[in-house]
Amino acid sequence: MPENAASFLETVMREERVFAPSPEFASRARIKSQEEYENLWNEAQQNPEAFWDKIAQTELHWFQPYSQVLQWNEPFAQWFVGGKTNASYNCLDRHLNTPWRNKAAILWEGEPGDQRTLTYQQLHREVCKFANALKGLGVKKGDVVSIYMPMTPELVIAMLACARIGAVHSVIFAGFSAEAIADRNNDASAKVQLTADAGWRRGKQLPLKETVDAALAKSPSVQKCVVLRRIGNQVNMQEGRDFWWHDLMQDASADCPAEPLDSEHPLYILYTSGSTGKPKGIRHTTAGYNLYVKKTFEWVFDYREEDIFWCTADCGWVTGHSYIVYGPLSAGATQVMYEGAPNWPAEDRFWEIVEKYKVNIFYTAPTAIRAFIKWGDRHVDKHDLSSLRLLGTVGEGINPEAWMWYHRKIGGERCPIVDTWWQTETGGIMMSPLPGAIAAKPGSCTKPLPGVIPAIVKEGGQPVEQGQGGMLCIAKPWPGMLRGIWGDDERYKQQYWSRVPGMYLTGDNARCDKDGYYWIMGRIDDVINVSGHRLSTIEVESALVSHPNVAEAAAVDRPDEVKGQALSVFVIVRDAEPSDELREELRQHVGKEIGAFAKPDEVWFTAALPKTRSGKIMRRLLKDIASGKEEVGDTTTLEDLNVLAKLRAHEE
Ligand code: ATP
Ligand code: MG
């Protein structure tokens, strides 16, 4: 092994394209130039506490002012110490004395095509009533409420009702199994469960209540369960434990003042996606988180009063928490919320919604973009997407060619794209272009937001040289950061604060180019070792995706008796049939794009890749398969077990 083996990653990507915002876009943006961005970033870097103090005073409502901006006792942060605020108040009540009272907060579309609109005032009323319903069930400040609901407005209402009375919500994506719900309920000692009779997914009914019944049999801490009637199917209601949402709402008063809560009062627990192992119960608190998601929402999405925003994530993930609920609503935004699948009743559903509601800002995941590419342009061509002015991505890196497709096909070459890098742990967006100020490079999340100070280091904490890849860390606390792992301070310290002294370890690799642009290189544990080179998963995958017949790719290394390590790639083909010729062509293509040493040893053709339920590729499982392991790691967050079985059987 060469001397550099455990220190830095090589980069082999040669992406030179740059896309600057148009002068029209920049002139109307909140932050209009690179210079303006740099001034803001420098101001925050020089004195983070003064920077956040100034913003916090005006952007949040304070029942009681704070006495100290930050108390940092590494690795435990407290922001806005001594202050009292309420996230539900900031999202709702603050708008009620303004003309926004009558503005649509949520334009909701159900999968079967039903629609509802809720103004801020209507949403406020529903939240107050449901908060009283929760109190009636005995929910008190600090109690944990587990939420397993479809993407209906009631899911948002439930979250805000918890926040209103100081209950801590734990939202569990409504696709998880009974086992996964019970694990999370037990880990968090949840007291009340919220669910629905069923939910719609691709025209089918997901029996949510039935799943919850099985989960509650193994969740001894849960005493009560509230059931929303979404579909009207027959469900079992257990006397004394189960209550209909509509029955509770009928009798509930609409008068429920928001509880003044300490800045550091826990707002929610949310489990990570489980891409790299067993999910972690991330704990977020009130004031710092609320401030961070509001401000980043305004900066990154350049939100204007008249805009219609649409984030396609589910509230079961952090993206939904931060950029459906707490960010947009604190900012008084109008947004579309959609219940179902992108390919129901047909593959053009998203574009139909964009056209119908005249969406201006559209935020989705690379996994969805790759699916759109695979489904074909004809679904997009049917619709008028001219209302769009800004696009975003989140969740995984985006391969430059997928970025180009998004730019051309969805953005009509006129919309800036914000590639937002962040994590459940970071609470909000950490790196992203500010769309009026920073020119984009396809595949790069560009620059850190004001107040975010990244560092790229080798094992041991030494900074890498300019341009080299290494472990991405954050050098200073920021208001949206996690405050811990629920009930497990030791795991928190060990996971994020032990390997690199004095910094938050993100678990991702990255490099920073000569222009100060950051490029995420994949997970620390997924580095590909071949022929003495340490390569990033995303760069090898992007080389594959730049071939016209590749829709999606995943790259892993595996032990090899002869070479030490071999490179295996998994490929989903488009506009072609899998064949040995194509296999060879792809090997040559990677050789040409990256170098002969990186020619894959094996190309596996597959119809699907193993993904988390949030849509991220689970490379650790592919690595096990490529290595011929019978037993694979934690699969509880895997979307579809069949994918693994097919891969093992070498079925295409
Ligand atoms: P677990 O922590 O349980 O393994 P996870 O990391 O997938 O799960 P999330 O918090 O949902 O859980 O995802 C955050 C991760 O997603 C980041 O650490 C990064 O690897 C990836 N990611 C998110 N956005 C981007 C982006 N814009 N570019 C590259 N990677 C991204
Ligand atoms: Mg993670």
Side-chain angles (χ1 to χ4, degrees):
M1 253 187 215
E3 162 281 322
N4 67 20
S7 51
F8 66 87
L9 274 84
E10 280 175 55
T11 178
V12 290
M13 196 184 237
R14 290 178 288 254
E15 180 55 63
E16 301 287 343
R17 291 170 284 198
V18 181
F19 296 83
S22 69
E24 301 91 89
F25 190 101
S27 68
R28 288 197 60 192
R30 280 174 188 257
I31 299 170
K32 296 180 171 53
S33 64
Q34 171 133 350
E35 192 190 355
E36 207 178 312
Y37 155 77
E38 276 164 11
N39 289 341
L40 207 58
W41 194 86
N42 287 333
E43 182 194 333
Q45 195 252 352
Q46 276 149 22
N47 193 342
E49 293 176 37
F51 178 80
W52 290 115
D53 181 23
K54 196 170 74 185
I55 300 179
Q57 303 231 7
T58 55
E59 299 282 335
L60 296 183
H61 168 80
W62 296 99
F63 293 101
Q64 179 180 301
Y66 48 87
S67 52
Q68 192 183 356
V69 178
L70 170 65
Q71 204 176 87
W72 180 228
N73 181 9
E74 189 195 313
F76 298 100
Q78 293 187 56
W79 283 88
F80 311 113
V81 186
K84 286 194 192 295
T85 184
N86 183 297
S88 171
Y89 188 99
N90 289 317
C91 288
L92 301 169
D93 306 50
R94 271 201 115 190
H95 309 311
L96 297 184
N97 295 326
T98 74
W100 290 8
R101 169 167 76 98
N102 297 320
K103 194 175 188 268
I106 297 177
L107 304 166
W108 179 78
E109 168 134 334
E111 194 185 73
D114 39 346
Q115 297 174 44
R116 282 163 66 192
T117 299
L118 284 158
T119 64
Y120 275 94
Q121 184 164 279
Q122 289 170 322
L123 187 60
H124 174 259
R125 183 180 162 84
E126 296 294 305
V127 168
C128 288
K129 289 182 73 169
F130 195 66
N132 278 328
L134 288 175
K135 282 191 196 167
L137 293 178
V139 176
K140 300 216 161 50
K141 187 164 135 183
D143 286 345
V144 175
V145 174
S146 167
I147 306 183
Y148 183 75
M149 290 177 74
M151 277 287 284
T152 52
E154 282 75 11
L155 171 48
V156 178
I157 291 165
M159 291 164 73
L160 291 173
C162 290
R164 198 160 188 87
I165 61 175
V168 182
H169 57 71
S170 165
V171 183
I172 302 168
F173 174 63
F176 275 119
S177 65
E179 208 66 43
I181 304 170
D183 278 354
R184 287 162 177 71
N185 283 350
N186 292 329
D187 185 61
S189 307
K191 186 167 170 188
V192 167
Q193 178 77 57
L194 311 180
T195 189
D197 52 0
W200 289 113
R201 194 70 192 176
R202 297 201 61 203
K204 291 206 184 66
Q205 295 181 9
L206 290 180
L208 303 181
K209 176 61 165 61
E210 204 181 300
T211 306
V212 159
D213 285 338
L216 293 192
K218 295 181 191 164
S219 312
S221 60
V222 177
Q223 297 157 11
K224 301 271 164 45
C225 173
V226 182
V227 186
L228 174 74
R229 184 174 280 153
R230 164 62 185 134
I231 288 189
N233 56 320
Q234 202 61 42
V235 296
N236 157 56
M237 295 292 281
Q238 188 177 309
E239 182 71 36
R241 186 193 72 180
D242 298 349
F243 302 85
W244 285 108
W245 179 290
H246 54 264
D247 287 342
L248 298 179
M249 288 295 263
Q250 198 161 25
D251 303 331
S253 148
D255 181 23
C256 182
E259 181 85 18
L261 298 171
D262 281 343
S263 293
E264 286 296 335
H265 185 74
L267 178 62
Y268 68 80
I269 313 169
L270 182 63
Y271 293 83
T272 56
S273 293
S275 308
T276 53
K278 191 175 180 297
K280 303 165 278 274
I282 301 303
R283 181 162 61 87
H284 281 291
T285 60
T286 301
Y289 170 82
N290 196 167
L291 179 71
Y292 195 72
V293 296
K294 178 181 187 196
K295 222 44 226 171
T296 52
F297 173 74
E298 292 174 348
W299 282 332
V300 173
F301 298 107
D302 190 42
Y303 182 74
R304 296 204 290 255
E305 209 176 329
E306 69 275 19
D307 278 330
I308 295 183
F309 174 75
W310 182 20
C311 166
T312 70
D314 192 284
C315 288
W317 312 119
V318 74
T319 306
H321 282 61
S322 300
Y323 300 110
I324 293 177
V325 183
Y326 294 106
L329 296 177
S330 302
T334 296
Q335 66 180 317
V336 169
M337 178 177 181
Y338 170 57
E339 179 185 37
N343 51 350
W344 186 264
E347 281 79 2
D348 67 338
R349 186 63 183 274
F350 275 14
W351 318 125
E352 186 188 282
I353 293 176
V354 167
E355 180 172 10
K356 177 167 160 189
Y357 294 93
K358 299 202 186 321
V359 171
N360 305 110
I361 307 168
F362 177 74
Y363 189 34
T364 198
T367 183
I369 295 170
R370 294 187 303 250
F372 303 140
I373 296 174
K374 202 163 53 187
W375 293 336
D377 291 1
R378 63 185 187 284
H379 301 293
V380 183
D381 294 337
K382 276 189 219 159
H383 296 283
D384 174 9
L385 305 183
S386 60
S387 59
L388 292 172
R389 69 176 192 89
L390 177 62
L391 304 175
T393 66
V394 59
E396 287 179 294
I398 180 163
N399 309 113
E401 286 318 312
W403 193 102
M404 289 304 300
W405 181 91
Y406 198 34
H407 168 70
R408 271 196 305 267
K409 224 37 231 176
I410 307 304
E413 298 185 357
R414 107 196 138 260
C415 304
I417 297 178
V418 290
D419 172 349
T420 64
W421 175 83
W422 58 296
Q423 313 176 295
T424 308
E425 293 88 338
T426 67
I429 297 168
M430 300 292 275
M431 294 204 252
S432 166
L434 295 176
I438 312 272
K441 298 186 187 184
S444 166
C445 58
T446 75
K447 305 245 176 182
L449 296 189
V452 174
I453 300 159
I456 301 177
V457 304
K458 301 185 235 190
E459 202 66 61
Q462 291 305 310
V464 295
E465 278 167 40
Q466 158 80 61
Q468 287 177 346
M471 298 190 285
L472 176 63
C473 296
I474 308 293
K476 288 269 165 68
W478 65 102
M481 69 192 284
L482 77 165
R483 300 300 195 265
I485 292 181
W486 192 260
D488 199 345
D489 283 350
E490 268 319 300
R491 189 173 177 205
Y492 169 66
K493 285 186 200 160
Q494 194 261 328
Q495 180 95 31
Y496 305 105
W497 298 93
S498 60
R499 200 156 153 189
V500 177
M503 292 189 204
Y504 168 76
L505 178 76
T506 67
D508 288 341
N509 285 314
R511 72 184 162 92
C512 182
D513 72 15
K514 60 182 189 327
D515 303 320
Y517 277 54
Y518 286 81
W519 300 75
I520 302 297
M521 299 176 84
R523 315 293 181 128
I524 290 175
D525 300 336
D526 289 343
V527 170
I528 299 174
N529 250 305
V530 276
S531 316
H533 299 268
R534 296 180 82 234
L535 302 179
S536 108
T537 48
I538 183 101
E539 293 193 353
V540 176
E541 292 159 7
S542 292
L544 283 157
V545 172
S546 72
H547 188 281
N549 296 125
V550 177
E552 189 159 22
V556 298
D557 62 7
R558 61 160 178 81
D560 181 87
E561 278 171 18
V562 184
K563 292 175 65 177
Q565 300 283 332
L567 173 60
S568 301
V569 301
F570 295 77
V571 169
I572 299 178
V573 169
R574 67 167 167 136
D575 303 330
E577 288 302 315
S579 67
D580 283 341
E581 291 74 59
L582 182 59
R583 195 170 260 131
E584 190 47 34
E585 197 178 314
L586 293 179
R587 293 187 66 240
Q588 298 303 335
H589 179 76
V590 175
K592 187 170 83 332
E593 292 285 307
I594 296 181
F597 68 92
K599 273 190 202 164
D601 296 282
E602 288 139 14
V603 178
W604 300 55
F605 291 120
T606 174
L609 292 167
K611 291 189 177 167
T612 61
R613 284 182 173 79
S614 57
K616 297 168 198 261
I617 299 172
M618 292 170 87
R619 293 179 186 78
R620 62 185 166 86
L621 299 183
L622 291 172
K623 191 167 168 134
D624 291 343
I625 288 193
S627 320
K629 277 194 197 154
E630 280 303 318
E631 289 292 313
V632 294
D634 189 306
T635 53
T636 53
T637 58
L638 180 65
E639 184 191 28
D640 180 2
L641 267 171
N642 289 325
V643 175
L644 287 189
K646 284 191 178 158
L647 278 168
R648 270 214 208 81
H650 282 263
E651 275 176 38
E652 275 157 19

